[in-house]
Amino acid sequence: MHYISTRIGSPILEFEDVVLTGLANDGGLYVPEVWPQMAVNHHVFNKDIDYSDLAFEIIRPFIEENCIEDIKLKSLINDSYKSFKQPSVAPLVQIDSNTWLLELFHGPTLAFKDFALQFLGRMFEHILTKRDKRLTIIGATSGDTGSAAIEACKGRDNLHIFMLHPLGRVSDVQRRQMTTVLDSNVHNIAIEGTFDDCQDLVKGMFNDEIFRDDLNLSAVNSINWARVMVQIVYYFFAVSRLNKYERPISFIVPTGNFGNVYAGYSAIQMGLNASRLVVASNHNDILTRFFETGDMSIMPVKASLSPSMDIQVSSNFERLLFDFYDRDGEAVSNSIKMFREEGTLPGGNKIHALANDIFSGYRTDDEGTLLAIKQLYDDKGVLVDPHTAVGLGALKQLKNSKTLNVVLATAHPAKFPAAVKQATGINPSLPDFLSDLYDREERFIKLKNNLGAVESYIRDVMSSKNL
Ligand SMILES: *Cc1c(COP(=O)(O)O)cnc(C)c1O
């Protein structure tokens, strides 16, 4: 498969280089040159297909054979999903006659990010071993990405991971899921600053060419195509299980960076039979405002009960924009440039009209989030986390009862116990394998919000490892 950038001036790459590169060097994101069509692949629509077998069928066309052969790819996928605690990997739990929760939180760190990162950690190791190369992975996290990336990279040969989180600004569960991983290739850095400061430091390191090349930096955030690709699978999985009802299906997706819902869009381009993608946002609702009116204007981010969606600029939206501009990289470049400079996306109305066929958006504030958690618990005895609850809030506003509805349950309720307790009075318990999380030893270093300090720390660590 060839990959092209959403802007202009980056080389066409194959999968292997796209994975290692992350962001294209013209600032754009890589997308596949064509969408593989699944209609001809009857395995994909088998109602009993096993999750890993389905993943192989979906992922194979995106990766060239000389990167990884069939047998090796199959075992890499099997290993990725063996670490999940439910045999079906992504169970569908019915909550009323038309509605299912697609539970995506049975991976090792209890959020859907494990789906992509368990695969990506193994894929990095495979490629690096093949090329006899080493990589330094740098990331900033407000919580879920950090733990999923660390869990996926710990103990792997050929790579070290440095994860920056804002000191005192992630939940205890989230911090401990990162800082209690004591493998020698895992390095947690608590920055005296905000999540935005952490992100700016990461950008600063990537923009420092000497540092970037000396340390061979790479990234694991959702601009990496491999993450989107792997998430396409569970949309097909849900449809394989619900096809028997012969009804159109709407997916309701709690959204922040637009990665997860873009995977749903990708699935539709590949022939998935779904009627609608519902973008569910909290009060940081730039996407919902866009899908309602065509106006995409940046507003300040305000903290919510669903912190993994407290985002105003959704990076993956650029991939959608690229398609709506008929894959014209120059138009996308200009449009994003104006968006950054003026805070409003130009030509929003035209794009909005195109998007309406597939997407709609609904917002749910903190009050609605708590209400949705409480109502589902009172009615069905099922606890959900606040991100999933934003999806349930959107569902309530959906008027169309003709479709079946699948709400993506993006995190385990015990990952966000405070909101769940506030809504229901119940303190959700961690699964057994994490029940001693609060007794485990933590290791992290605190650093000032200063690029020089962070770079010299990373250089020191890496030279002490003789790398
Ligand atoms: C990351 C995350 C989201 C948002 O996903 P995007 O791909 O950024 O839209 C939603 N819920 C949870 C629990 C998350 O960790």
Side-chain angles (χ1 to χ4, degrees):
M1 175 66 77
H2 288 149
Y3 291 86
I4 54 178
S5 165
T6 52
R7 298 194 197 171
I8 32 169
S10 283
I12 292 175
L13 297 181
E14 297 206 324
F15 179 80
E16 232 179 271
D17 289 303
V18 165
V19 170
L20 296 183
T21 309
L23 195 68
N25 58 18
D26 57 14
L29 307 184
Y30 275 104
V31 292
E33 195 169 40
V34 292
W35 294 110
Q37 292 305 310
M38 290 295 136
V40 289
N41 183 341
H42 63 273
H43 295 297
V44 169
F45 299 100
N46 172 352
K47 67 182 176 26
D48 299 317
I49 192 166
D50 170 76
Y51 193 91
S52 292
D53 293 344
L54 176 62
F56 175 81
E57 300 293 333
I58 303 286
I59 290 171
R60 178 75 271 183
F62 287 110
I63 309 177
E64 53 280 359
E65 298 273 343
N66 65 10
C67 168
I68 187 166
E69 69 225 47
D70 283 1
I71 292 183
K72 182 85 204 170
L73 179 60
K74 273 190 183 147
S75 81
L76 193 153
I77 291 171
N78 278 329
D79 290 346
S80 302
Y81 298 111
K82 245 192 252 153
S83 63
F84 282 56
K85 310 298 167 193
Q86 288 282 327
S88 65
V89 181
L92 275 165
V93 173
Q94 188 161 15
I95 55 171
D96 68 35
S97 57
N98 289 335
T99 309
W100 282 260
L101 292 177
L102 180 62
E103 292 188 349
L104 302 176
F105 53 72
H106 296 289
T109 71
L110 310 182
F112 79 87
K113 292 181 171 84
D114 287 324
F115 275 84
L117 286 162
Q118 283 294 312
F119 175 89
L120 187 57
R122 287 173 173 84
M123 186 50 92
F124 272 140
E125 186 168 58
H126 169 78
I127 297 173
L128 294 172
T129 307
K130 197 161 83 99
R131 294 190 174 187
D132 195 17
K133 262 182 90 176
R134 288 169 183 282
L135 209 59
T136 308
I137 292 171
I138 309 260
T141 185
S142 57
D144 296 337
T145 298
S147 55
I150 286 171
E151 194 62 35
C153 292
K154 70 178 186 189
R156 296 205 179 280
D157 291 342
N158 305 346
L159 60 87
H160 279 256
I161 178 164
F162 291 83
M163 189 56 64
L164 280 58
H165 71 266
L167 178 67
R169 290 175 199 249
V170 298
S171 78
D172 286 352
V173 177
Q174 288 178 321
R175 186 191 69 250
R176 286 183 160 274
Q177 281 185 313
M178 298 191 277
T179 57
T180 60
V181 179
L182 303 178
D183 298 69
S184 61
N185 71 330
V186 171
H187 314 278
N188 279 289
I189 304 175
I191 295 293
E192 296 177 0
T194 63
F195 170 63
D196 287 333
D197 295 331
C198 295
Q199 249 185 335
D200 287 345
L201 289 168
V202 169
K203 274 186 212 143
M205 287 185 261
F206 275 93
N207 288 336
D208 178 346
E209 257 174 67
I210 298 173
F211 184 78
R212 189 181 68 202
D213 294 346
D214 282 356
L215 288 154
N216 205 8
L217 293 193
S218 188
V220 286
N221 50 12
S222 68
I223 55 174
N224 196 315
W225 163 254
R227 283 188 54 181
V228 172
M229 171 187 83
V230 176
Q231 290 172 208
I232 295 170
V233 178
Y234 47 71
Y235 287 89
F236 277 95
F237 185 72
V239 169
S240 74
R241 294 315 193 253
L242 298 176
N243 251 341
K244 59 184 174 202
Y245 295 99
E246 297 182 339
R247 300 250 306 268
I249 297 175
S250 297
F251 285 93
I252 295 118
V253 191
T255 305
N257 226 348
F258 206 71
N260 205 1
V261 66
Y262 180 75
Y265 169 83
S266 304
I268 291 173
Q269 304 316 303
M270 293 167 70
L272 182 83
N273 184 12
S275 72
R276 205 142 258 286
L277 295 170
V278 176
V279 170
S281 28
N282 62 29
H283 56 225
N284 297 301
D285 61 348
I286 185 167
L287 288 166
T288 290
R289 280 183 280 124
F290 175 74
F291 288 118
E292 279 171 350
T293 65
D295 171 37
M296 183 175 276
S297 307
I298 303 178
M299 309 252 252
V301 177
K302 284 190 293 175
S304 78
L305 292 174
S306 42
S308 302
M309 296 161 29
D310 288 347
I311 288 175
Q312 280 291 309
V313 178
S314 306
S315 339
N316 275 292
F317 187 78
E318 180 166 339
R319 290 189 157 116
L320 184 68
L321 207 55
F322 186 57
D323 275 6
F324 287 162
Y325 273 117
D326 291 326
R327 304 205 140 199
D328 175 349
E330 194 166 347
V332 173
S333 287
N334 292 336
S335 171
I336 295 286
K337 189 160 166 269
M338 279 180 69
F339 177 57
R340 293 287 185 168
E341 279 169 11
E342 289 168 26
T344 299
L345 189 76
N349 284 341
K350 191 175 140 237
I351 295 162
H352 173 238
L354 295 168
N356 258 345
D357 279 349
I358 303 183
F359 295 94
S360 31
Y362 296 94
R363 95 181 53 70
T364 302
D365 61 11
D366 281 354
E367 197 184 329
T369 302
L370 292 169
L371 191 67
I373 298 176
K374 179 168 164 45
Q375 275 181 347
L376 186 65
Y377 183 68
D378 288 349
D379 293 351
K380 303 281 163 189
V382 175
L383 286 177
V384 291
D385 96 290
H387 302 80
T388 309
V390 168
L392 291 170
L395 177 69
K396 269 193 241 171
Q397 301 168 62
L398 253 183
K399 302 275 173 332
N400 184 353
S401 59
K402 289 199 202 72
T403 67
L404 299 180
N405 303 310
V406 175
V407 179
L408 271 53
T410 52
H412 191 289
K415 202 158 185 181
F416 299 93
V420 176
K421 178 130 197 246
Q422 196 183 340
T424 62
I426 289 170
N427 200 5
S429 49
L430 285 164
D432 283 349
F433 70 97
L434 283 171
S435 59
D436 65 341
L437 186 66
Y438 283 87
D439 307 322
R440 293 182 195 169
E441 179 190 344
E442 287 191 77
R443 192 181 67 209
F444 63 97
I445 180 164
K446 285 180 214 169
L447 292 177
K448 292 236 175 318
N449 174 21
N450 176 292
L451 184 62
V454 176
E455 287 189 347
S456 75
Y457 170 74
I458 294 175
R459 276 192 189 276
D460 286 353
V461 170
M462 295 306 277
S463 60
S464 74
K465 309 265 177 207
N466 284 330
L467 299 171

